[in-house]
Amino acid sequence: MSLFLIAALPFLGAVFPALLIRAGRNAAAASTGAVTLLALIGLVLHAPAVLRGETVSARLDWLPDLGLNANFHLDGLGLLFAGLILGIGLLIIAYARFYLSREDPMGQFYSYLLLFQGAMVGIVLSDNILLLLVFWELTSLSSFLLIGYWKHLPEGRQGARMALAVTGSGGLAMIGGMLILGHIVGSYDLSVILQNKDLIQASPLYAPALILILIGAFTKSAQFPFHFWLPHAMAAPTPVSAYLHSATMVKAGLFLMARMWPVLSGTELWFYLVATTGLVTMVLGAVIALFKDDLKALLAFSTVSHLGLITMLLGFGTKAAAVAAVFHIVNHATFKAALFMNAGIVDHAAHTRDIKQLGGLRHLMPLTFTLAGVAALSMAGIPPFNGFLSKEMMLEEATHAIWAGTPWLVPALAVFGALFSVAYSLRYIAHVFLGPRRHDYPTLPHDPGAGLWLPPAVLVVLVVLIGLFPNVIATPIVTAAANAVTGADVYFHPALWHGLTPALYMSVAAVLGGALLLGGHRAALGIWNNLPRPEAKAIFDAIVGAATGTSRRFSDRLHNGSLARYSAIFLVFTLAIAYYAFASGTLGPETRAPLPVTAMPVLGWICLVGSTLSVVAFHRNRLLALVLIGVTGLIVSMTFNYLSAPDLALTQISVEVVTIILLLLALNFMPQQTPRESSPGRRSRDVAISVVAGLGVGGLIYALMTRDFVLPSISEYHLANSYKGGGGNNVVNVILVDFRGFDTFGEIIVLGIAAIIIFAITEAVLGSRVRARLLNRKPWSPLAGDSHPLMMVVATRVMMPIALMVAAYIFFRGHNMPGGGFIAGLIAAIAVVMQYMASGFSWATDRQRLPYHGIIGTGVLVAAVTGMGAWFNGLPFLTSAFGYVHPPYLEKFELATAALFDLGVFLAVLGAVLLALQSLARYAWQPGIASEHPMDINPERDDATQTIEGH
Amino acid sequence: MSHWIIAPIVLPAVVAPFILMVIRYHRDLQRVFSVASVVALNLIALVLLTQTMDGTISVYELGNWPAPFGIVLVLDRLSAMMVLLTTLLALAVVLYAIGSGWDTRGRHFHALFQFQLMGILGAFLTGDAFNLFVFFEVLLIASYGLMIHGGGATRLRAGVQYVVYNLLGSTLFLFALGTLYSVTGTLNMADLAVRVAELPADDTALLRVGAVLLLLVFAIKAAVLPLHFWLPASYANAPMPVAALFAIMTKVGAYAILRMYTLVFGPDVAVTEGLIGDWLLPAALLTLAAGSIGILGARELGRLVAFSAIASMGTLLIAISLFTPQAAAAALYYTIHSTLTAALLFLVADLVLERRGGRLTPTPPMPQSGLIAALFFAGAIAMAGMPPLSGFVGKLLVMDAARANSQVWTIWAVILTTSLITIVGMARAGSILFWKSHDRSVLPPEAMTDEDDGTPVAPDLAPEPVPGLAFVPVFALLVALVVLTVLAGPVMRYTEATAAQLFAPADYIETVLKRPGS
């Protein structure tokens, strides 16, 4: 079976339990088991070749530019781990089927489990360290889901988050390390990296790479000081603890260290980092484990301790130690998974895992007791079980390790750790199963059905068989794996009897000491409870809590919602960057002489500055401010006119009129004064920023105006081609509708959108609770007695045709003289607006038959269709055509598609302005406001006087 | 004459007024035409993409005026890619808006949506700096309309901030264009490139001001710290499907930076030396940091996703600010990833908001909680840059590209640390949203379930069943992320070719200005 398929099978298979759970829990479990079995069979088919020393590989380019490729390989180490993962996986799947209760969503459980399994298999088969990282992080994620599986339990949720944070951060560190490693070697392929030991260890980047990778491995394998997440991960259902947190996932870190052993080990740094961490973890875990009353906590810390043991062995950097490490990985997986399942059985049967509430179970659960006894004795390192073999090897290797020149330190601590290990192992037997039968179990325990005891029994059988016949069962695979780890042929021949070696004495000492220690457990517990101990979870929670709180405060304070402050930051930042850009360049000389100063511009300048300053001075009075803004706008228009830009002047003045009218309408709904909101300090700060910004912009414009184009401008072309190519003398209009008609097309759309947004907001507001407030609104000041005065009505009626005629005139002359669709649209709009003003919104609306939406739409469509017309001549969008016609009795005149385009502009502008106006006017509607008459006082009418009185 | 290039602009520009004029009272017809338009846009985008596959650059001269005197649209690999990305996103969003019923909660959703698309697509296709300004205006005003779609006091208030801040940006855009035009006398981007290169070395100050002001404009759009302030509140308060569409809007800023600062003010241009990379990289790092801190500190789901969008812009801009072809290729890959992921998360956020509100405090379980949890999990993984989704690949690519930079350690440290903060923040949010709801002990008393029939009692949050159509686009986005991951190799080949095209602008300039090839 292809390695791709083996790695992919669990992922693909994860779908089955999720779906088949509807067909029952057996179907879900069976499908999960079948997938795992299939992958295992695929793996076993490769076993003969791998045991012969061959490496099976499968390669597929994924992202070759990055060096991230789907390259898999299977060597002895991979085979060992994959076998453990899939084999123990099968047992766990069977066990979980009977462990989980009816309420637990089993489909989910098996899906997560398969995802995890796939990730694990992926790690051990990867031949590419980036691919390995992918699977590495996947194990963190799937383990997050599995730990939090019982989502109603706070311990589960918190344990899941803690595990994700710790192992996830380790994974991130490892990303850094792997990238550095790949950088040193020039390849991310393991098979290449493993060939380059000298290159890597000589590199100045070796230390950072090693440290980062080790952080990843240590967090995953729960090494001190990252060990604290593992006990909290025990909130997961027991099958998960047995599978992830003892047999497989936590060994991923060990796997990685073993995988990288040929290139990373052998240096002082490696020894001191890895061996020391392992030693400390081993001792610490063993000590804590003895004082835990929760069965799973005891096993969790014992796992920490054993992981430390293996880490230490890898850290020694010798081949023999590496072999011992590999062997202990196998042994630990067998007895520890069995013990976890055993703890689950006890929990299931007695409804408690608290050792204090247990004892004497041997009478009630003989079978469970037997299994637990064998596994725990193996864990303690008692012959003839497999734990004894590897522990002997560990002690043997410890005697060879010299830590900082002191040869006794490592062996002494190893014995110390082993002693505690014996003590807690025996405690598991003695305090749970031995002793008198009690009468206060939460429920009366009994041996479970075969579904629960058979899976651990299989492992226990292995524990015994490996212990008795290590060379038959374990040697081939351990040798193959150790060969892969060390990159050389190793000699592995374990035996129960080595002769009277130092290791044997140490072992005996540990067993005796451990037994004694257990005897004095009560006294030791007293001492332990009086020792100051940092509570890892409290520290972790405090750190995360502080980080969350700090982030929240920082983020909320930074984004406090004050637009004034946001704008201030914007201005200061922009000014700083712009000043830097200016100051770091060189400014060329002025190339244009300023015009002479005459009275007219000076007057205009004074008015402009005066009106602007007045706005600042009187901005609290909204109406006055608006009037002053109008003054500013007028002067700007006049300035355009003075500077020979009549088109701009016309546009500006019509825009001014329309916007001021719209703003006046809006002012209706606002208080007449703006509130005082900012402190004097704040105001002076704002003044300073504004002044600097104003001076900056002014300075920039002055600098630009006193200089010619450095290079000739494109406007020469526009002037030259306006009539010839665009058919118009007014180059401004030709630019608008022809040269840059596409810009205009966009801008009329902007205008149209703005209008329909105003409409949409109006709809939203009038559809909400605000409507009631508007209806009951009292005006700020008394209304005029005569809101629709006769004189104004008459005048606007007269003005209407004139204004429309002016609009038409402006429109048609636009192409050759100042004018055009935009200005014409505004003027036509003003003509209609006047009617609204004179006779009121309701009266005018009743007489208005064309929907403004339609006018806007028509405008845009006319412009677009005009543009598309060119397509039929095989020309690009908006290509204009023009010709001259000579009708009889009339002057010749020009027909240009540009005029049609301009018509679109006209309509869009007209519709937009009127829709905006109509929408704003709707806010003011109140019942009874509508008048059926165009003017309030009409001498012709009979009810004239009544109307006045009724007001 | 091929008119394909302008089709992505003209089609929505015609469909929108048509909707406005003819079918503004017909909900179903609006939906039909809107979706049909987006589907057609996708097909057009595919055609455009195939046209650029061999490296061809096509120019479309509007009004038949030659560049630089008229406006041109230019189609190259980059614009084709961005157009396709936009239309794909638009399809998901419009389907979701219809499926969730969001499009009926205010007026003119579909018309504004089409106009918005027109603005975005136009910005990607134009080869004229002033025309870019026009399209910025179109997309800004349309986005404002979409942002406040449905109304409500909070949303309208956030909308004001959004539009005012962006109008500041528009003003700055005009200043920048005015400055550049007064110095160089042109607005066409290719022509600008030619003229900037010809500029005398003793007259650079004003051009530098123009160049940097322009960069600031784009930085506002791209939400670069400290110009990002418009984003959190507006995205968090916008209708979530609209926010999902906005995932592409920040990319418009990133696109414009990449376009202008490779074509016109490229890394080799002496006049603007030392202007861009010097502050853009630190700003991008700060953006990433502020985004991830915002994720961890968020009290509300919409805001959390908004900050995650900021964070991903930070990562993207780190890559852009390196200004090397390799980094640009990584940035483009990350652009696709970041757009799809942010959109996915916003849509998932909407699914949550519709059922239980967005506050990150425990509430009773919501309907379809498991499905939504799975989608959130996937989105969070992608956003945090965890395997197996494209975020991880994108992050690796960016980190790999940073290797040549002198700041490599800082960049790596920031990216990895912020990843951790994001993971912790996302895990926290997910745990509260989807796990804590099953824990009766932490729920507030009034949120407890009814004793009689076991149904959740939530007075203000009556769960509104959302029909299945809403889930289709969300899953489609997820599938797109998976495809992006699996096909990372081919996608990277395209983005690398794109980056190569960007960093060798001579071809672009010659094509636009019709100069004989060198």
PDB file of all heavy atoms in Angstrom, chain B residues 116-131:
ATOM      1  N   GLN B 116     -20.776  48.455  -6.152  1.00  0.00           N
ATOM      2  CA  GLN B 116     -19.569  48.160  -5.380  1.00  0.00           C
ATOM      3  C   GLN B 116     -18.605  47.295  -6.194  1.00  0.00           C
ATOM      4  O   GLN B 116     -17.405  47.562  -6.261  1.00  0.00           O
ATOM      5  CB  GLN B 116     -19.983  47.432  -4.100  1.00  0.00           C
ATOM      6  CG  GLN B 116     -18.851  46.838  -3.320  1.00  0.00           C
ATOM      7  CD  GLN B 116     -18.204  47.832  -2.393  1.00  0.00           C
ATOM      8  OE1 GLN B 116     -18.731  48.145  -1.343  1.00  0.00           O
ATOM      9  NE2 GLN B 116     -17.083  48.351  -2.788  1.00  0.00           N
ATOM     10  N   LEU B 117     -19.163  46.294  -6.841  1.00  0.00           N
ATOM     11  CA  LEU B 117     -18.324  45.421  -7.664  1.00  0.00           C
ATOM     12  C   LEU B 117     -17.683  46.216  -8.789  1.00  0.00           C
ATOM     13  O   LEU B 117     -16.502  46.050  -9.106  1.00  0.00           O
ATOM     14  CB  LEU B 117     -19.156  44.287  -8.252  1.00  0.00           C
ATOM     15  CG  LEU B 117     -19.555  43.192  -7.283  1.00  0.00           C
ATOM     16  CD1 LEU B 117     -20.310  42.113  -8.014  1.00  0.00           C
ATOM     17  CD2 LEU B 117     -18.305  42.602  -6.654  1.00  0.00           C
ATOM     18  N   MET B 118     -18.490  47.092  -9.378  1.00  0.00           N
ATOM     19  CA  MET B 118     -17.947  47.896 -10.460  1.00  0.00           C
ATOM     20  C   MET B 118     -16.740  48.706  -9.969  1.00  0.00           C
ATOM     21  O   MET B 118     -15.707  48.767 -10.633  1.00  0.00           O
ATOM     22  CB  MET B 118     -19.038  48.838 -10.966  1.00  0.00           C
ATOM     23  CG  MET B 118     -18.569  49.788 -12.025  1.00  0.00           C
ATOM     24  SD  MET B 118     -19.490  51.321 -11.915  1.00  0.00           S
ATOM     25  CE  MET B 118     -18.479  52.377 -12.921  1.00  0.00           C
ATOM     26  N   GLY B 119     -16.891  49.299  -8.782  1.00  0.00           N
ATOM     27  CA  GLY B 119     -15.800  50.102  -8.242  1.00  0.00           C
ATOM     28  C   GLY B 119     -14.555  49.274  -7.993  1.00  0.00           C
ATOM     29  O   GLY B 119     -13.442  49.661  -8.366  1.00  0.00           O
ATOM     30  N   ILE B 120     -14.741  48.118  -7.386  1.00  0.00           N
ATOM     31  CA  ILE B 120     -13.578  47.294  -7.047  1.00  0.00           C
ATOM     32  C   ILE B 120     -12.895  46.792  -8.324  1.00  0.00           C
ATOM     33  O   ILE B 120     -11.672  46.901  -8.477  1.00  0.00           O
ATOM     34  CB  ILE B 120     -14.004  46.112  -6.167  1.00  0.00           C
ATOM     35  CG1 ILE B 120     -14.567  46.609  -4.844  1.00  0.00           C
ATOM     36  CG2 ILE B 120     -12.848  45.175  -5.931  1.00  0.00           C
ATOM     37  CD1 ILE B 120     -15.182  45.528  -3.994  1.00  0.00           C
ATOM     38  N   LEU B 121     -13.711  46.274  -9.238  1.00  0.00           N
ATOM     39  CA  LEU B 121     -13.122  45.716 -10.458  1.00  0.00           C
ATOM     40  C   LEU B 121     -12.443  46.809 -11.274  1.00  0.00           C
ATOM     41  O   LEU B 121     -11.374  46.602 -11.854  1.00  0.00           O
ATOM     42  CB  LEU B 121     -14.205  45.012 -11.272  1.00  0.00           C
ATOM     43  CG  LEU B 121     -14.836  43.809 -10.556  1.00  0.00           C
ATOM     44  CD1 LEU B 121     -15.995  43.253 -11.350  1.00  0.00           C
ATOM     45  CD2 LEU B 121     -13.797  42.739 -10.325  1.00  0.00           C
ATOM     46  N   GLY B 122     -13.071  47.983 -11.299  1.00  0.00           N
ATOM     47  CA  GLY B 122     -12.458  49.099 -12.023  1.00  0.00           C
ATOM     48  C   GLY B 122     -11.109  49.466 -11.435  1.00  0.00           C
ATOM     49  O   GLY B 122     -10.145  49.718 -12.148  1.00  0.00           O
ATOM     50  N   ALA B 123     -11.044  49.465 -10.085  1.00  0.00           N
ATOM     51  CA  ALA B 123      -9.773  49.817  -9.447  1.00  0.00           C
ATOM     52  C   ALA B 123      -8.675  48.829  -9.827  1.00  0.00           C
ATOM     53  O   ALA B 123      -7.515  49.213  -9.984  1.00  0.00           O
ATOM     54  CB  ALA B 123      -9.952  49.849  -7.930  1.00  0.00           C
ATOM     55  N   PHE B 124      -9.057  47.556  -9.992  1.00  0.00           N
ATOM     56  CA  PHE B 124      -8.039  46.566 -10.354  1.00  0.00           C
ATOM     57  C   PHE B 124      -7.611  46.678 -11.810  1.00  0.00           C
ATOM     58  O   PHE B 124      -6.522  46.247 -12.181  1.00  0.00           O
ATOM     59  CB  PHE B 124      -8.554  45.152 -10.096  1.00  0.00           C
ATOM     60  CG  PHE B 124      -8.657  44.810  -8.639  1.00  0.00           C
ATOM     61  CD1 PHE B 124      -9.738  44.111  -8.141  1.00  0.00           C
ATOM     62  CD2 PHE B 124      -7.666  45.204  -7.755  1.00  0.00           C
ATOM     63  CE1 PHE B 124      -9.827  43.801  -6.789  1.00  0.00           C
ATOM     64  CE2 PHE B 124      -7.754  44.910  -6.408  1.00  0.00           C
ATOM     65  CZ  PHE B 124      -8.837  44.206  -5.925  1.00  0.00           C
ATOM     66  N   LEU B 125      -8.490  47.221 -12.646  1.00  0.00           N
ATOM     67  CA  LEU B 125      -8.201  47.169 -14.075  1.00  0.00           C
ATOM     68  C   LEU B 125      -7.626  48.459 -14.629  1.00  0.00           C
ATOM     69  O   LEU B 125      -7.015  48.457 -15.693  1.00  0.00           O
ATOM     70  CB  LEU B 125      -9.488  46.817 -14.839  1.00  0.00           C
ATOM     71  CG  LEU B 125      -9.887  45.342 -14.747  1.00  0.00           C
ATOM     72  CD1 LEU B 125     -11.285  45.131 -15.262  1.00  0.00           C
ATOM     73  CD2 LEU B 125      -8.904  44.485 -15.533  1.00  0.00           C
ATOM     74  N   THR B 126      -7.834  49.566 -13.939  1.00  0.00           N
ATOM     75  CA  THR B 126      -7.455  50.816 -14.571  1.00  0.00           C
ATOM     76  C   THR B 126      -5.935  50.989 -14.604  1.00  0.00           C
ATOM     77  O   THR B 126      -5.215  50.500 -13.732  1.00  0.00           O
ATOM     78  CB  THR B 126      -8.106  52.007 -13.857  1.00  0.00           C
ATOM     79  OG1 THR B 126      -7.829  53.174 -14.623  1.00  0.00           O
ATOM     80  CG2 THR B 126      -7.561  52.177 -12.460  1.00  0.00           C
ATOM     81  N   GLY B 127      -5.500  51.691 -15.632  1.00  0.00           N
ATOM     82  CA  GLY B 127      -4.078  51.986 -15.765  1.00  0.00           C
ATOM     83  C   GLY B 127      -3.818  53.468 -15.632  1.00  0.00           C
ATOM     84  O   GLY B 127      -2.788  53.967 -16.068  1.00  0.00           O
ATOM     85  N   ASP B 128      -4.779  54.171 -15.030  1.00  0.00           N
ATOM     86  CA  ASP B 128      -4.698  55.618 -14.946  1.00  0.00           C
ATOM     87  C   ASP B 128      -4.878  56.022 -13.491  1.00  0.00           C
ATOM     88  O   ASP B 128      -5.812  55.577 -12.828  1.00  0.00           O
ATOM     89  CB  ASP B 128      -5.802  56.230 -15.815  1.00  0.00           C
ATOM     90  CG  ASP B 128      -5.709  57.732 -15.889  1.00  0.00           C
ATOM     91  OD1 ASP B 128      -6.122  58.416 -14.926  1.00  0.00           O
ATOM     92  OD2 ASP B 128      -5.201  58.232 -16.905  1.00  0.00           O
ATOM     93  N   ALA B 129      -3.975  56.869 -13.013  1.00  0.00           N
ATOM     94  CA  ALA B 129      -3.996  57.176 -11.584  1.00  0.00           C
ATOM     95  C   ALA B 129      -5.254  57.939 -11.185  1.00  0.00           C
ATOM     96  O   ALA B 129      -5.830  57.693 -10.120  1.00  0.00           O
ATOM     97  CB  ALA B 129      -2.752  57.972 -11.210  1.00  0.00           C
ATOM     98  N   PHE B 130      -5.707  58.862 -12.032  1.00  0.00           N
ATOM     99  CA  PHE B 130      -6.895  59.605 -11.646  1.00  0.00           C
ATOM    100  C   PHE B 130      -8.134  58.723 -11.738  1.00  0.00           C
ATOM    101  O   PHE B 130      -9.044  58.815 -10.912  1.00  0.00           O
ATOM    102  CB  PHE B 130      -7.084  60.858 -12.502  1.00  0.00           C
ATOM    103  CG  PHE B 130      -8.154  61.747 -11.945  1.00  0.00           C
ATOM    104  CD1 PHE B 130      -7.866  62.626 -10.913  1.00  0.00           C
ATOM    105  CD2 PHE B 130      -9.455  61.677 -12.415  1.00  0.00           C
ATOM    106  CE1 PHE B 130      -8.857  63.411 -10.366  1.00  0.00           C
ATOM    107  CE2 PHE B 130     -10.450  62.459 -11.855  1.00  0.00           C
ATOM    108  CZ  PHE B 130     -10.154  63.333 -10.837  1.00  0.00           C
ATOM    109  N   ASN B 131      -8.163  57.879 -12.749  1.00  0.00           N
ATOM    110  CA  ASN B 131      -9.270  56.951 -12.857  1.00  0.00           C
ATOM    111  C   ASN B 131      -9.326  56.032 -11.638  1.00  0.00           C
ATOM    112  O   ASN B 131     -10.407  55.651 -11.170  1.00  0.00           O
ATOM    113  CB  ASN B 131      -9.128  56.150 -14.149  1.00  0.00           C
ATOM    114  CG  ASN B 131     -10.417  55.480 -14.538  1.00  0.00           C
ATOM    115  OD1 ASN B 131     -10.445  54.280 -14.780  1.00  0.00           O
ATOM    116  ND2 ASN B 131     -11.513  56.218 -14.582  1.00  0.00           N
TER     117      ASN B 131
END
